[in-house]
Amino acid sequence: MITLKQVSVFTLYLIIFLIIFNLSNKHTINDNILRDMQSVKLRVAIDRSRLSLEDPTLNYSGDEEALSEYLMSLNGILAEQQSRIRLTAISSKALYAKEGEVVDVLTGTTHETYLMFKADDNHKLPFYIVPFIFALLNFVLLNSITRRRITSLKTKNIAPVIEEKPILQIDLYSKALHLSNDKGVKVQLANKPMCFYLALIEYCEANPDASLNQNKELPDELLELADKYFHRLISLGHTIRKRPNFSNSLEKTLSEIRAALDELLANTPDLKAKYYPPKAHGEGSRSKLHSYALSNITLEDVDIIGK
C-alpha cells in the first residue's frame, strides 16, 4: 500500500529532477540556437556579395524573388539539420523583431545587413519522461535501501546475544589470578606455585597428550619453563631468593594452586575442568598413576599479563 510519505518523497524527487532537466534543457536549446545563428551569419556573410539586396545609394530596389529563393534554400538546409531557427528576412534596412523573433546585424566595411530569425525555444514534451524515469528510479532505490536497513536492524535485534566465556588472567606484576569478566575478585599466589602453574599451562598446551604424576620426575621442559617464570618474577622485583626446587613438595605446590582456583572459581565451577589440575581419586596404585596435567587448556584460554 502506497503511503502519503512515499508519495511526498516521489513528488520531491520529481520536482528536483524536473528543475534540473528544465534548466539543462534550456541551456542546451539556447546554445544550439546561438550556434546555428552564428553558422547562418557566416553563410550570409560569404554570400553577401551575390545577394540581390536593396541598395538606396545606387537606387537599386533588389530582386525579391531571388532573395526569397535564397531564404528557402537556406531554410531547407536548416530543416534537414533539424535546427530550431529559420531565417525569415535579409535586408539592408533596419529590421525590428516581434515576439519569437531575433534580429542580428552583419556589419561590413561599407554597409550593414540585417538578419531576422525565428527561433523555437520550446521544450519538447515527450522528453519530460526522462526526469520522471530518474525520479522513479531514485524512489525505488531509496525504498530498497530503506527496506534492507530495516531488515538488517531487525536481524541484529533478533540475533541472540552470545555471552563470551571468561578466561583466566594471571598478572605477574601483582602475582594475582582473576577472571577477565570480574577483575574485582583477585587471588594471590606465592612465587613457587605461581611459576609452576604458569609452566604447567604452557607445557600442557604444547603437549596435550602429556601424562604427569607425582611418582615420576618432572619433564626437563616443564622445569625450564618454571625457571623462566621465576626469573621473570626476579626481574619484576618480587623476590631475590634462589630458584626453588620445583620437584620437591610437588603435592603441596599443587594443593596451593588448587586452593587458589577453588576460591577464584567458586561462582564458575564449570571452568574448573579447564584450569584445575585434577586431583587423584582412590588410593594405592590407581592414585600413583594419576595425571595432574591440564588436558583441555590452550594459550587462548589464559592471558598472562607481564610475561
Side-chain angles (χ1 to χ4, degrees), residues 29 33 36 82-86 118-122 124:
I29 289 172
I33 289 174
D36 290 350
Q82 296 184 341
S83 174
R84 286 179 170 267
I85 67 166
R86 297 293 182 269
K118 189 169 185 180
D120 178 16
D121 60 356
N122 293 321
K124 295 181 179 179

Side-chain angles (χ1 to χ4, degrees), residues 91-255:
S91 177
S92 55
K93 293 181 180 180
L95 298 174
Y96 300 97
K98 297 178 182 179
E99 187 177 353
E101 296 178 333
V102 179
V103 173
D104 206 344
V105 181
L106 189 61
T107 304
T109 55
T110 59
H111 52 267
E112 291 181 340
T113 303
Y114 295 87
L115 308 178
M116 181 176 285
F117 296 94
K118 189 169 185 180
D120 178 16
D121 60 356
N122 293 321
H123 300 269
K124 295 181 179 179
L125 292 179
F127 286 114
Y128 277 89
I129 191 66
V130 174
F132 180 83
I133 292 173
F134 273 103
L136 185 61
L137 289 175
N138 276 268
F139 175 73
V140 171
L141 180 62
L142 177 65
N143 270 3
S144 176
I145 293 173
T146 304
R147 281 197 301 270
R148 287 181 184 178
R149 190 173 297 173
I150 292 173
T151 304
S152 177
L153 289 173
K154 286 182 178 179
T155 304
K156 287 181 180 178
N157 292 333
I158 294 172
V161 178
I162 301 173
E163 185 178 350
E164 292 186 6
K165 286 190 176 182
I167 64 170
L168 177 66
Q169 292 185 322
I170 304 176
D171 190 346
L172 294 180
Y173 295 107
S174 61
K175 293 198 304 178
L177 279 64
H178 59 83
L179 295 176
S180 58
N181 66 338
D182 186 8
K183 296 184 180 180
V185 179
K186 295 184 178 181
V187 179
Q188 301 293 132
L189 201 57
N191 293 341
K192 183 178 178 181
M194 170 73 80
C195 295
F196 186 81
Y197 186 50
L198 288 168
L200 184 64
I201 291 171
E202 194 167 333
Y203 177 82
C204 291
E205 196 278 336
N207 303 275
D209 298 325
S211 179
L212 302 172
N213 60 71
Q214 297 170 219
N215 298 297
K216 292 183 180 180
E217 292 186 1
L218 293 175
D220 292 339
E221 185 181 350
L222 179 58
L223 291 173
E224 288 175 4
L225 290 171
D227 288 345
K228 180 187 75 171
Y229 283 108
F230 188 77
H231 288 301
R232 179 55 180 159
L233 291 183
I234 293 174
S235 65
L236 292 174
H238 290 305
T239 182
I240 56 174
R241 296 180 181 180
K242 293 182 180 180
R243 166 196 175 278
N245 188 338
F246 291 102
S247 299
N248 290 341
S249 305
L250 181 57
E251 179 59 35
K252 180 182 178 183
T253 302
L254 290 171
S255 296

Side-chain angles (χ1 to χ4, degrees), residues 41 46 54 60-61 74 79 112 132 247 251 253 297 301:
K41 281 178 65 178
I46 295 172
E54 182 182 3
Y60 177 64
S61 60
L74 194 56
E112 291 181 340
F132 180 83
S247 299
E251 179 59 35
T253 302
I297 203 162
D301 299 322

